[in-house]
Amino acid sequence: MIKANRPDILTAMAVPQVDKKMLSELESMGFPTTRSIRALHFSGNSNLESAVNWLLEHESDPDIDQLPLIPREIPIECGDTSNEVRNDIQGMRDPVQEQKREERTETGRQNETSQLERELNADEQEEEDRKRILALYKQKRDEEGRAREQKRNQLQDDQRERIRASKDLMEAKRTLEENQRKRMMESRIADQEEEKRARERIRQRIADDRAERRRRLGLPQENPAGASVPIITPTKVKPVERVVTSEQLRDCLRTLKKNHKDDSARVTRAYQTLLKIIANIVKNPAEDKFRRIRLSNPIFKDRVGNLQGGTEFLELCGFQRLSASGYLVMPRDRIDMTLLNAAGVEIASAMENPYFGLLSK
C-alpha cells in the first residue's frame, strides 16, 4: 500500500485484469500464465493475434516471466486507521459485487436467448482466431527453421569449397614438382649426351694425335680391320687443346653460388653478366671488343672478377689471362661455338633452378 499525494486516497500495486477467455486460449496454446497475462495487458486485451504477436516479439525480454503490476487508487476518509481502511474497502467492495451479481442475473434472464447466440458466434470467432494465430505461429517457426537450414547448407557449401580449393592447391603443387623433376631429368640426360660427345671428341683427337706421331716417325699408319689406308696430306699440326666438359662449367657455377649463398642477388647478377658476355661473342664473333675484358674494370670486378669461380668460368670458355696487359682475351682462333652455347645453357639452367649448387656436395 502506497500513500498518494491526496490524504483521502491510497495507491496499491495489483495485477491487471485481463480477459479470462483469451488467457485460457493462450494457455491452451502452450504459453505460460505469467507471459499470457503480460501479453494481454500490454496488447490492450484487444485480441488473441495481438497478444501472440507481442509474445513472439518480446520472448527474449529479461522480465518476460514476471507478473505486471499496476497502481490502483483507493479513497479513504482522513483519520481512519489502517484496519478501518481495510474494513471500509471491504465494505465498499461487497455491495458493489452484490450489485454486479444482481445486474448480471437480471441481464442474463432478459437476454438469455440472444446471449447464447452471441456466445456461439463468439466461440466460432474465437476458434477462427485461434486457428489463424496457430497458423501464424507455425508459419514463423517454419520460417526460422528454413533460415537455420539455409545457414547450415551455406556452411556445408563453404566447407566443400575450402576442401576443393585445398585439393586444387595440392594438385598444382604436385604438377609443379613433377615438371621440375622432368626438367631435371632432361637436363641430366642432356649432360650425359654432352659428356658422351665430349669423350668421343677426346678419343678422336687422341687417335689423330697418335696417327700424326706415327707419320712423323715414318711408321706405317694403323689399319683398322677392313679399312682402307687413307692418304694423309701433310699439314701444320695444331697442339692438342684441353677439352672442357659441361661438368667443369657447372663446377665453376656451383663454386660461385656456394661461396656467396648468403647474397643471392649478387650471384644472380654475376650469372647475368657471364651470360651477356657469352651471348655477345656468339652473336658477334668477329668483334674484338666483346672478346677483350679489362680485369681492373670496376663493374667487371664487382660483378664477376671478385667472385670466386667467375673468372675461372670465362677461362674455361676460351678466355686467356694476359698478366702483362691486365686483360682477359679470347683469340679468334680459340672461339668454340659449341662450347660457348653449352656454357650459355649451363648458366641459364643455374638461374632457373633455385636449388642449383646448394644440394650437391
Side-chain angles (χ1 to χ4, degrees), residues 63-86:
D63 58 348
I64 188 65
D65 292 317
Q66 297 179 8
L67 283 173
L69 298 176
I70 59 175
R72 180 175 296 174
E73 296 181 351
I74 301 174
I76 62 173
E77 294 181 2
C78 296
D80 289 345
T81 64
S82 59
N83 292 332
E84 292 174 349
V85 170
R86 284 195 293 271

Side-chain angles (χ1 to χ4, degrees), residues 86-286:
R86 284 195 293 271
N87 293 334
D88 290 343
I89 292 173
Q90 185 64 34
M92 288 186 294
R93 185 182 299 165
D94 292 342
V96 172
Q97 290 178 351
E98 183 65 26
Q99 182 179 358
K100 287 184 179 180
R101 281 196 297 271
E102 291 177 358
E103 290 177 356
R104 284 198 298 271
T105 303
E106 185 178 355
T107 303
R109 294 194 192 99
Q110 294 176 357
N111 303 316
E112 185 175 355
T113 303
S114 59
Q115 180 67 26
L116 289 174
E117 292 178 355
R118 285 194 299 272
E119 288 179 356
L120 289 174
N121 294 332
D123 290 342
E124 292 177 357
Q125 184 64 33
E126 289 177 358
E127 181 65 20
E128 292 179 358
D129 292 343
R130 188 176 66 82
K131 290 180 179 179
R132 186 171 63 257
I133 292 169
L134 287 175
L136 180 63
Y137 183 75
K138 183 179 179 181
Q139 179 182 359
K140 183 173 181 180
R141 294 300 181 189
D142 292 342
E143 291 176 354
E144 292 177 352
R146 286 193 296 270
R148 287 192 297 269
E149 183 66 21
Q150 183 178 2
K151 185 176 181 180
R152 186 163 49 251
N153 293 336
Q154 182 65 35
L155 292 175
Q156 292 176 354
D157 292 341
D158 293 343
Q159 184 177 6
R160 284 194 292 267
E161 180 64 22
R162 287 195 297 271
I163 294 173
R164 186 192 63 79
S166 178
K167 289 182 178 179
D168 292 344
L169 181 61
M170 292 178 64
E171 181 64 22
K173 183 178 179 182
R174 188 193 64 78
T175 303
L176 178 62
E177 291 176 351
E178 184 66 23
N179 291 336
Q180 288 178 348
R181 283 195 296 270
K182 287 182 179 180
R183 285 196 296 270
M184 291 178 66
M185 288 297 296
E186 292 173 356
S187 177
R188 190 175 296 113
I189 292 173
D191 292 344
Q192 293 174 354
E193 292 293 331
E194 179 62 26
E195 291 177 0
K196 183 179 178 181
R197 288 193 294 270
R199 286 194 296 270
E200 289 295 331
R201 288 196 297 268
I202 292 172
R203 281 197 293 268
Q204 184 62 40
R205 290 184 181 182
I206 291 173
D208 293 343
D209 184 60
R210 186 167 56 248
E212 179 64 21
R213 287 198 301 270
R214 292 179 66 87
R215 185 187 65 79
R216 287 183 176 183
L217 295 173
L219 299 176
Q221 298 295 326
E222 294 179 351
N223 186 14
S228 60
V229 179
I231 300 174
I232 300 175
T233 304
T235 57
K236 184 178 180 181
V237 179
K238 295 182 180 180
V240 178
E241 297 179 356
R242 182 166 62 97
V243 178
V244 179
T245 64
S246 298
E247 185 62 29
Q248 291 174 313
L249 296 172
R250 280 195 296 273
D251 285 341
C252 279
L253 297 176
R254 290 193 193 103
T255 300
L256 192 151
K257 187 164 187 177
K258 284 182 179 179
N259 291 332
H260 305 280
K261 60 183 179 181
D262 295 332
D263 193 351
S264 58
R266 190 175 185 186
V267 173
T268 302
R269 189 166 61 247
Y271 285 167
Q272 292 172 347
T273 304
L274 291 174
L275 185 60
K276 184 173 182 62
I277 292 172
I278 299 301
N280 286 337
I281 297 174
V282 171
K283 293 178 182 178
N284 306 281

Side-chain angles (χ1 to χ4, degrees), residues 194 246 249 278 313 336-347:
E194 179 62 26
S246 298
L249 296 172
I278 299 301
F313 183 85
D336 187 343
M337 288 298 180
T338 303
L339 177 60
L340 293 176
N341 288 327
V345 170
E346 293 301 333
I347 297 173

Side-chain angles (χ1 to χ4, degrees), residues 26-45:
L26 290 175
E27 291 176 343
S28 65
M29 294 179 188
F31 295 107
T33 303
T34 302
R35 296 190 179 191
S36 301
I37 292 174
R38 288 184 70 87
L40 290 171
H41 171 68
F42 288 110
S43 64
N45 282 307

